Amino acid sequence: MQDFLFYLNLGWEHIISLDALDHQLFILALVAVYAFKDWKKVLILVTAFTIGHSITLALSVLEVFKISSDWVEFLIPLTIVITALDNIIFKGNQSKLMRINYFLALFFGLIHGMGFANTARMMLAKEQSLFLPLLGFNLGLELGQIVVVLAFLVTLFIFSNLFRVARKDWIMFVSSAVFALALKMTLERIPF
């Protein structure tokens, strides 16, 4: 039980900590097109991300495949750039954006899962079962994502209802800010 709680906390920190800006930006880019009333859709969306993240994390820890950490660290912000750019390009067609974002959450979750694999590999003993640590980590990750999403949706609710910010303007503002930050991260991490 103590191992489970350790990995639950590790998953929580993986998304909530100040060092988790890349994951937080990705979540913001994914949920920028949703309104507070869409909270069920958003929960499904972040769960799709967690599923993708979980699959590659498990496969990487089991050493089914390995990708250079330099490339993974480059690809993670690139996924954020693509997601934010997608929001900007399709901001007028929110239903299409929502469908695309489910695919992006799952597919790009696969890439994000590789980001923690090297650390996880070192932490898990070879003879230790992977099920409980990965379950704990992924539940912690999911809980952290839900907190980030709720904070974002409450902020959106305040801006759209109190300050009367139009939905398209909100999508453009959030996506542009995320795009700029992620592009900077991507350019700094080009693996040469």
Side-chain angles (χ1 to χ4, degrees):
M1 184 64 170
Q2 192 154 359
D3 279 351
F4 176 80
L5 292 176
F6 171 79
Y7 287 103
L8 181 81
N9 186 56
L10 194 62
W12 168 266
E13 288 293 322
H14 186 65
I15 197 74
I16 293 295
S17 78
L18 296 176
D19 294 333
L21 181 61
D22 52 355
H23 282 324
Q24 294 162 0
L25 288 175
F26 184 67
I27 291 170
L28 291 181
L30 280 176
V31 302
V33 301
Y34 294 89
F36 194 80
K37 64 181 169 71
D38 299 319
W39 64 271
K40 288 179 185 176
K41 293 177 184 176
V42 174
L43 287 180
I44 293 168
L45 182 73
V46 296
T47 300
F49 173 75
T50 301
I51 290 168
H53 194 279
S54 303
I55 290 168
T56 30
L57 180 58
L59 293 175
S60 295
V61 168
L62 292 170
E63 298 185 5
V64 172
F65 66 86
K66 260 187 173 176
I67 295 178
S68 162
S69 61
D70 289 345
W71 277 101
V72 173
E73 290 304 313
F74 167 73
L75 289 173
I76 287 173
L78 185 60
T79 65
I80 303 164
V81 167
I82 293 168
T83 306
L85 188 59
D86 190 53
N87 289 350
I88 293 166
I89 292 170
F90 294 108
K91 72 180 179 297
N93 190 345
Q94 291 171 357
S95 62
K96 183 175 185 173
L97 259 174
M98 289 178 182
R99 285 190 307 272
I100 291 170
N101 280 356
Y102 283 108
F103 171 76
L104 293 178
L106 181 61
F107 182 69
F108 289 163
L110 294 170
I111 294 169
H112 284 245
M114 290 184 271
F116 189 69
N118 290 335
T119 305
R121 244 187 252 110
M122 290 186 294
M123 294 176 70
L124 295 172
K126 289 283 186 195
E127 65 277 351
Q128 186 179 19
S129 167
L130 290 179
F131 178 74
L132 231 56
L134 287 177
L135 178 65
F137 179 83
N138 288 311
L139 286 175
L141 179 73
E142 186 76 2
L143 291 172
Q145 288 178 156
I146 290 169
V147 167
V148 169
V149 165
L150 285 176
F152 181 78
L153 290 177
V154 166
T155 303
L156 166 61
F157 183 81
I158 290 168
F159 274 85
S160 62
N161 291 310
L162 189 60
F163 299 115
R164 302 286 182 221
V165 174
R167 185 97 174 261
K168 287 182 184 178
D169 294 338
W170 175 260
I171 293 169
M172 189 65 167
F173 172 76
V174 170
S175 298
S176 297
V178 168
F179 175 82
L181 289 168
L183 183 61
K184 180 181 182 300
M185 293 167 81
T186 304
L187 294 174
E188 290 172 348
R189 297 178 184 182
I190 295 174
F192 286 119

